[in-house]
């Protein structure tokens, strides 16, 4: 940690601040020049709240040198983490494919789509039961009935199921019924939810918030891991920018960035990012090329009549063709599908 | 609602789509030219999900003409709404001043600050008991003990208390103990929380999310109001942009925008927006000048030792001076403090 | 300047880098811990290119502690700068009012508007002759004929004229005919243009780019000042964000920020920021309240038929009423109009 | 074009507006409901300035349905455009590789790098002679001497040269000496420069501005093409967002978006986007996978001593390895290198 002092801070005040910081249990190395006055802090700075130091009127700024996340940090876990879900490994050489409809709508729909995507090589089934919708007047999902239908689809196909949790209210239900619990972009900093998920041993798919930095995403993963649950998969799904042609801007450079900073697996959701079904194909290819460990793709057998997000869903036959093409890209970067 | 078709959509398909939309219970007026093919939808379009229409392969885009919020919409409630909290009116001629520390730290601290800010003319006391922090290793607030201390401060000073809720877990406690329940920026789209708050009759202070559009803020207010609770106050607290000098960019044009679109009162939080205590003064003045109904300001008697957010807190004597100067601005725009 | 090294950089490499940096003419103070390895650079670091140091494979990051601008820096010029234009002072106690149409359209139009705004207390006349338009098919301004008409209006009213330059092609003409040369947002980093303007002694009104940070704005001012021309006025006119309700987001916190960092006068353009004429009133008031030294406002006698930007222009009678109300705000913050 | 009227606009005013618009030479189709009042405009709306209609007090908004660009529009040129530069085709099946140093530094440097990258399969040589730098105190490029050195390198290697123009001052020189004239991000809306380039028949590499939308990029291309020069190549190089880990956020979804909207070739600059040399590899692969027609990559034989942008340059041996791997990705998407 580096404390930058205001120019011309009197020596007595530098000394007094130095002493106060030393009392926090770290070494303080001053570097004092005419135009640069800094204090270098060495030792365990993780418990020091930079805000408290910054509130000192002589302090210009406090800077982290190390990333503030620990359990999610590659520095303390140089190997890639692999997450196992019912025998399926995420984060290994094999790309994880997660596919399914935006919303579970009926038993027939979810089973039909599940079978199609399984036939194309998908390992995990996604489907929304509880849906976060901007408008209170939009369809909010089949809720617990949706969970029941996902279980039926799992039984029929053997595919583990991934679905989004929206509050702690149904946490027990999710822990019992669901294989991967998804935290949506809007809840990425719902810290109370993250804490509760940290107490479970379920695999959590944590989506990046619309305006969350990469560091904030990793800090939210840290909330879950700090509770003892290391089964975290990150998901890039587009960030909010000034560009309006796409619904969000898929930040593919976040993938190598996360891989450098953290050991956690990371998947990409090209469907929500663009909000346009014809972009799912090129963005999926780019995601594999850039190093993602998996994809989560919306597939619907009848997009025109989908109860939500039809414009971004692709049809099973388009998905099947895409998976075949993705396997070429995967091979080109030393992975497989 | 306007449906823009792709150029050269065959007439048969236009007819078939027209018929399908008519079945949703609205009139359809086609405007068909060589380069422009649109369907104008007239009637109650509020239950039509634009995504479903957009999923049609002949549809280029669907556009709202009307705002998607109703109860929050000024069109259906032309007069300004006023919210009454224990006899204090928010949204009237008098500017509402809400002040207090970022976090409740001790009985002595909260009572001392409460008395100071009351003496300066503040009507409502703010203080964090549950704190949303980016890091799981940062101080998370005194939690229920903090609520107890706020109640003591209310008893001592008579000021209603405003504090942030972070999940539904303590909802009953908040309903019983707190006068205004604050929903923080990170939870603005925690829809399950909003729904539960909509079932109470408590006044809700809803903060704009870091990357929420004005329309999304109003849609989140709509979630609360759709549940039957019209006691909603909106709060602009800065949005996330590329600029890094300030912590967030205070969007003061959002105030006249919200005033035009909605009848709800709106207050400004200059402390969190800038993250710099010396900016609280000019930004507070600008907020009153631009038309805000109130301010929520962090005041701390000992910013250097504040347990959180010291750098943005001002001291009681600075606050007192500021309130005096704000009264001149208020008068200049036909308001009072 | 602070050089942050990668953890575990071998001592030999630290020494070799230290030596290389010393050869650049500065002192190097190493602070070496297990998790923090930094080099503090003391002396004249202004000629050191941080990129060159950052390219070293052992370097994590190089950080400026001081702002990279000098002539624009308040540190080296603690007093506010005042710019004098034909006897009118900008940056003093009196708020500078600059008003006029988006585009000069005809002699009658510019003279009529000039007379109206002068009668309301305006000191400087604005009017576009060369217009930067997104589309090559839009009206591009009357160009040199527009300059001629501005001169006629100046002669009629005695008001100095402010108009935008778009390239160096007409620089001599601008230097001879114009009182304040405006550099538009899109040209804020047209460095060749800035360099040429730095060789003149004309007053330059430098608008902030749509996505320029405050530091970049000051660096562009530095380009002009480095050439010897200190007559620079800065202008905040809205930045590009995700919010689409307003055309741009007026960043009013930039005003106190610039005032802290620099001694240069700064004015606000509320017309272009919002793109909505009904927002000019509240945003102008907020701009004065937050500390701006002036306003630049679009006024048109016939907005419906304006050749450009009609939706953001206000009528002379609206402007007249606004100026009267602004004088109350100005008085409330110790300024005058 | 669609004109949305304010609700409850009186019939007389609708009629009067309708008549006024008809006089502009288009058909007007009104769709009038209680909550929706629109005018659909059919015919050649390209000469209608939406701002003029929006300035009418009864008008809520005017919306384009068609894109405002014509010559750049795929609708009017369904086939992909191919640009030929000295026998090298850009926009065909073969991926164009453009590589070289950020700045030309010396004859030895540019020739050495040119030979290396040529040996790796590069077709075109890039190198900055005039450099846009944020600070007036940074190295500004070797300028005309740099152009001379590029010519020497071309003579030695036969590779066409690509370099950035910063103003019209040296236009004749560029037209005579340079094979592809690059317009940098900061000059994307330097309309006077674009107009002048439109009068030449040189190939122009037009970089997207830091905060330019895809539509604005295409409108800037339109400026060049409107002048008669159709030899335009677009370049995505990262946009400015809130994320600070990368210098800019590479918007790879812009590639399929541009391919859908326009027939022009588009290349990607992964070096400037990320500002980190270790990201060039994955981002280049993603760019090819997503459909780019080429790459422009910074290669330097001695990044530590590069006169600018060292941290983002890769070494010739890294580049050579990358090209080999890229050829696998290219093959996977039906292209070749």
């Amino acid at each position: 940690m580096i404390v930058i002092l205001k120019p011309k801070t009197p020596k007595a005040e530098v000394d007094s601040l130095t002493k106060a910081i030393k009392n926090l249990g770290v070494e303080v190395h001053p570097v004092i020049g005419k135009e640069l006055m800094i204090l270098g802090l060495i030792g365990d700075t993780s418990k020091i709240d930079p805000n408290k130091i910054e509130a000192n009127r002589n302090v210009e700024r406090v800077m982290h040198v190390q990333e503030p996340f620990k359990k999610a940090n590659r520095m303390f876990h140089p190997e890639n983490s692999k997450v196992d879900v019912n025998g399926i490994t995420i984060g290994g050489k094999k790309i994880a494919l997660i596919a399914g409809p935006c919303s579970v709508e009926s038993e027939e729909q979810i089973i039909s789509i599940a079978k199609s995507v399984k036939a194309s090589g998908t390992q995990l089934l996604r489907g929304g039961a509880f849906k976060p919708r901007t408008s209170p007047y939009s369809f909010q999902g089949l809720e617990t009935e949706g969970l029941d239908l996902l279980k039926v689809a799992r039984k029929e196909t053997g595919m583990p199921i991934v679905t989004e949790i929206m509050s702690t209210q149904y946490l027990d239900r999710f822990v019992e019924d669901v294989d991967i619990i998804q935290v949506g972009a809007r809840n990425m900093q719902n810290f109370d939810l993250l804490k509760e998920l940290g107490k479970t041993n379920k695999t959590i798919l944590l989506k990046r918030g619309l305006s969350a930095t990469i560091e904030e995403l990793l800090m939210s993963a840290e909330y879950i891991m700090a509770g003892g649950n290391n089964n975290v998969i990150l998901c890039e799904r587009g960030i909010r920018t000034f560009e309006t042609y796409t619904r969000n801007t898929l930040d593919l450079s976040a993938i190598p960035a996360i891989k450098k900073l953290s050991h956690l697996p990371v998947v990409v959701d090209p469907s929500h990012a663009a909000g346009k079904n014809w972009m799912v194909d090129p963005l999926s290819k780019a995601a594999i090329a850039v190093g993602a460990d998996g994809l989560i793709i919306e597939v619907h057998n009848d997009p025109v009549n989908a109860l939500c997000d039809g414009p971004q869903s692709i049809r099973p036959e388009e998905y099947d063709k895409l998976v075949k093409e993705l396997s070429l890209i995967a091979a080109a970067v030393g992975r497989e599908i």
Side-chain angles (χ1 to χ4, degrees), chain A residues 85 161-167 170-184 193 197 200-207 224 229 231 233:
Chain A
V85 180
I161 53 180
V162 185
T163 197
E164 179 169 349
I165 195 166
M166 282 185 56
S167 74
Y170 292 101
L171 181 58
D172 292 345
R173 187 80 208 264
F174 271 73
V175 168
E176 199 178 310
D177 289 350
V178 167
D179 301 296
I180 298 184
I181 302 178
Q182 176 179 319
V183 176
L193 178 59
L197 294 170
T200 75
N201 60 358
K202 279 280 150 181
T203 296
I204 310 301
L205 180 72
L206 179 65
K207 288 195 154 187
I224 299 168
N229 183 357
N231 300 311
I233 302 167

Side-chain angles (χ1 to χ4, degrees), chain A residues 37 63 111 131:
Chain A
M37 302 181 78
M63 284 179 310
I111 291 179
K131 301 296 304 173

